[in-house]
Structures are given as structure tokens and as C-alpha cells.
Amino acid sequence: MDYSARLTRWRKNLDLEFKRNRERYQFLKWGMQAFETFKVVPPGIGIVHQVNLEYLAKGVLSRPSTINSQPSTTFYPDTLVGTDSHTTMINGLGIVGLGSRRH
């Protein structure tokens, strides 16, 4: 947090976040467009681990598949990569969570 004790602090901090990490957010935006199950929570939405637990976590995902020329369903675990130190709290739901905090 660069700005505090001002009414405009939230907006100024958010603007700095996007400015400092523009390339990262462009890459994540590309990922959302390229992969059907790839979701991104942008800054300013809320506490990341709470958003993950309440809105994004699926636990187990599935997709149609074929085994021996027969229609089937493939099930696979939900995964998460986050940049918040609390990201791995999602592991409590059995979701593979990896926190990737920058310093």
C-alpha cells in the first residue's frame, strides 16, 4: 500500500497495482481468453482467498471424453495458482493451491 489516510487511497493504490503489473495482467487476460476453465480475480475485487473459496472453487471438474471408442467422462481436480499469501487456504477444500508471492 503506497497511499493511506486519504479518501482517494483505494483508487490510487489500485492504479499503481495495474501500472506496476501491466504485463502480468495482460498475460492473465490472454489466459482467460485462451483457456475455457482459466479464471482470474483482478485486484480490487476482494480478499483473494475468500473469493476463491466462495466463487471460483469447484473441487472436481469434468469433461466429456472417449475411452475405447465409448463416450465417457473424465474427472480431474481443481487447481489454483495465486499471488496472495493466503491462497493455499483453498487446500482445505481439497483443491491444489500454490501461492506465488512476489517480494
Side-chain angles (χ1 to χ4, degrees), residues 27-45:
F27 176 71
L28 293 173
K29 184 176 181 180
W30 169 84
M32 286 193 319
Q33 295 168 348
F35 302 101
E36 184 179 311
T37 60
F38 185 77
K39 306 283 188 272
V40 174
V41 179
I45 297 298

Side-chain angles (χ1 to χ4, degrees), residues 2 10 15 25 29 42 55 59 61 63 77 85 87 96:
D2 292 282
W10 184 82
D15 289 344
Y25 293 127
K29 184 176 181 180
Y55 300 105
L61 296 110
R63 75 170 34 166
S85 62
T87 297
V96 179

Side-chain angles (χ1 to χ4, degrees), residues 3-20:
Y3 296 98
S4 62
R6 297 179 185 157
L7 293 176
T8 59
R9 68 184 175 271
W10 184 82
R11 181 82 242 163
K12 287 183 176 187
N13 285 317
L14 192 58
D15 289 344
L16 275 175
E17 173 69 18
F18 279 110
K19 183 178 177 182
R20 289 175 178 155

